[in-house]
Amino acid sequence: MPDISNGWLSRFKKRYNLHGFKMHEEAGLLIQADEDKIQRRIAEIKDQIKHYDPKNIFNFDETALYYAKSPVRTIAAQPVSTVKADKKRLTVGPLCSADGEFRMNPCIIWSF
């Protein structure tokens, strides 16, 4: 594979009038968290679970994997129109015990 330098790329972009653009999607919500409230809640949870053996405490988290999502940045000669975000996703959920002895393969949930 040829070695491409930044100088080559910048001259190529200048020659063909190409620029980097960020493609904007739907605006997301920004939620400000109260740090003191979070610390108080963490202390409450620790107090509630201190009576249990770590092998009997389990954690299950969910995270979305947007496998059909369009890229956020592109190189083009002029700004690119707004792209509607594709909502196709998989939800992945790992499960494990607090002591790490018990781990399951991630649970996968398909969403249409």
Side-chain angles (χ1 to χ4, degrees):
M1 180 170 208
D3 214 12
I4 300 174
S5 67
N6 285 339
W8 178 89
L9 182 59
S10 62
R11 288 191 306 272
F12 179 83
K13 287 168 48 177
K14 186 176 181 179
R15 183 179 315 126
Y16 292 100
N17 194 27
L18 298 174
H19 305 279
F21 292 100
K22 182 172 183 178
M23 300 185 316
H24 299 281
E25 296 177 358
E26 300 165 355
L29 295 177
L30 179 63
I31 300 173
Q32 294 292 331
D34 180 10
E35 188 68 31
D36 292 335
K37 192 174 184 180
I38 292 171
Q39 293 303 324
R40 282 193 306 270
R41 182 64 182 139
I42 290 173
E44 288 173 15
I45 293 170
K46 284 182 178 181
D47 189 50
Q48 290 173 352
I49 66 172
K50 69 181 178 185
H51 306 291
Y52 296 98
D53 192 18
K55 70 178 181 180
N56 294 325
I57 300 171
F58 290 88
N59 184 36
F60 180 81
D61 288 324
E62 294 180 23
T63 186
L65 173 62
Y66 292 93
Y67 61 90
K69 189 173 179 178
S70 299
V72 177
R73 297 191 67 81
T74 188
I75 296 175
Q78 57 190 3
V80 179
S81 63
T82 303
V83 177
K84 182 147 174 81
D86 193 340
K87 303 288 185 183
K88 293 179 189 172
R89 70 179 185 273
L90 295 173
T91 301
V92 181
L95 172 72
C96 70
S97 62
D99 66 356
E101 290 294 319
F102 179 81
R103 288 179 234 151
M104 283 186 64
N105 289 332
C107 171
I108 298 176
I109 303 166
W110 182 278
S111 178
F112 295 99

